[in-house]
Amino acid sequence: MTTAPTTQPIGPLVDAHPAKRPERITLQGRWITLAPLAAEKHAEALYEGSNGDAARESVWTYLFDGPYRSRDDFRSNIELKARSADPLFFAVVDNSSGRAVGYQTLMRVDAANRVIEVGNIMYTPAMQRTAGATEAQYLFARYVFDELGYRRYEWKCNDLNAPSKRAARRFGFSFEGVFRQHMIVKGRNRDTAWFAMLDGEWPARKAAYERWLAPDNFDRQGRQKTNLSQLMPEAAS
């Protein structure tokens, strides 16, 4: 390997070993469990939670598929998703009921560059704005950084999806810009907002998650005492 002339700017040397690829494992939390998606275990509850009326079907607005008009079509789709390796689908299972209340994926796996993305997030109304939703994101981030060894963890969404952009910031991702006319989704233009979290930022963000998730941060009714945004370090500019 030759050394570039000192007059040319070049990035610092890094350890170039690859990250591990995500596997179909179970990640256990206090409120929820992330488990490999399986139609026989999860399709029925997911269908009931995401189809049937306007409120439930609103979860599909910014996703690439759905809503579904029949249980059979939905189950067939879940079977396909369960076999996928990238994206790799995990069901979000509510620990109190044992029912699936959503799913999420690790995707666009680039082990050589140690870059990975969280995406295809479908949380039913029963899952949205709950402690379990935050815990699901914490469990993924901890797996990505602490166990798999990635340098960069990405979050992307439709630039019109204001709730997703707020969630990305709340979960510790930094906004990096908008890719204009990035995709055509369901026949419509999609400008994509990009967010990311880096391995060097993770320790402070991990501490914020764990402080927020601590039992003493919730009252007897399960309401938070301190919100995550107050604990999360300021995003990179």
Side-chain angles (χ1 to χ4, degrees):
M1 180 184 297
T2 60
T3 302
T6 57
T7 56
Q8 293 179 289
I10 191 168
L13 288 170
V14 297
D15 185 341
H17 74 274
K20 299 176 184 176
R21 297 189 66 86
E23 298 179 343
R24 287 182 169 85
I25 66 169
T26 297
L27 303 173
Q28 182 78 41
R30 177 185 172 196
W31 285 282
I32 61 93
T33 296
L34 297 176
L37 184 66
E40 64 275 13
K41 295 179 181 178
H42 308 128
E44 186 70 17
L46 290 173
Y47 179 81
E48 292 176 357
S50 63
N51 294 275
D53 57 42
R56 285 179 286 174
E57 292 179 1
S58 67
V59 303
W60 301 103
T61 300
Y62 296 107
L63 293 174
F64 295 97
D65 60 326
Y68 289 84
R69 299 306 175 204
S70 77
R71 294 174 188 269
D72 289 344
D73 287 348
F74 183 79
R75 184 183 177 91
S76 295
N77 182 265
I78 294 295
E79 289 172 348
L80 289 174
K81 287 172 175 170
R83 293 196 293 269
S84 171
D86 186 357
L88 183 61
F89 281 82
F90 290 77
V92 184
V93 179
D94 177 66
N95 288 344
S96 62
S97 68
R99 290 174 61 83
V101 289
Y103 59 66
Q104 59 192 49
T105 74
L106 292 171
M107 57 184 287
R108 300 188 186 277
V109 181
D110 183 353
N113 289 299
R114 306 208 296 276
V115 179
I116 197 168
E117 179 181 341
V118 55
N120 296 295
I121 299 170
M122 193 282 280
Y123 291 168
T124 66
M127 174 68 171
Q128 295 170 6
R129 303 179 67 83
T130 66
T134 297
E135 187 176 52
Q137 294 301 322
Y138 163 74
L139 291 173
F140 252 18
R142 187 180 67 180
Y143 181 50
V144 161
F145 288 118
D146 293 351
E147 298 187 42
L148 301 181
Y150 283 82
R151 301 177 68 224
R152 175 179 168 86
Y153 185 38
E154 297 179 335
W155 175 297
K156 303 185 185 83
C157 63
N158 190 312
D159 191 43
L160 297 175
N161 189 348
S164 182
K165 293 195 292 184
R166 287 195 299 269
R169 292 185 174 94
R170 178 176 177 270
F171 293 141
F173 293 83
S174 296
F175 176 66
E176 295 185 333
V178 175
F179 278 34
R180 298 174 299 164
Q181 295 188 187
H182 180 226
M183 293 181 178
I184 299 172
V185 180
K186 297 177 179 174
R188 295 179 181 271
N189 176 68
R190 172 173 139 163
D191 296 344
T192 299
W194 288 54
F195 298 80
M197 188 189 306
L198 305 183
D199 55 351
E201 299 167 338
W202 170 238
R205 284 155 173 72
K206 179 181 181 181
Y209 273 112
E210 293 181 349
R211 178 67 193 92
W212 188 86
L213 290 165
D216 64 5
N217 189 42
F218 296 87
D219 63 20
R220 292 182 178 179
Q221 286 72 45
R223 296 174 299 205
Q224 66 178 356
K225 298 176 183 177
T226 303
N227 64 53
L228 183 60
S229 297
Q230 292 176 281
L231 299 169
M232 192 64 68
E234 187 175 347
S237 58

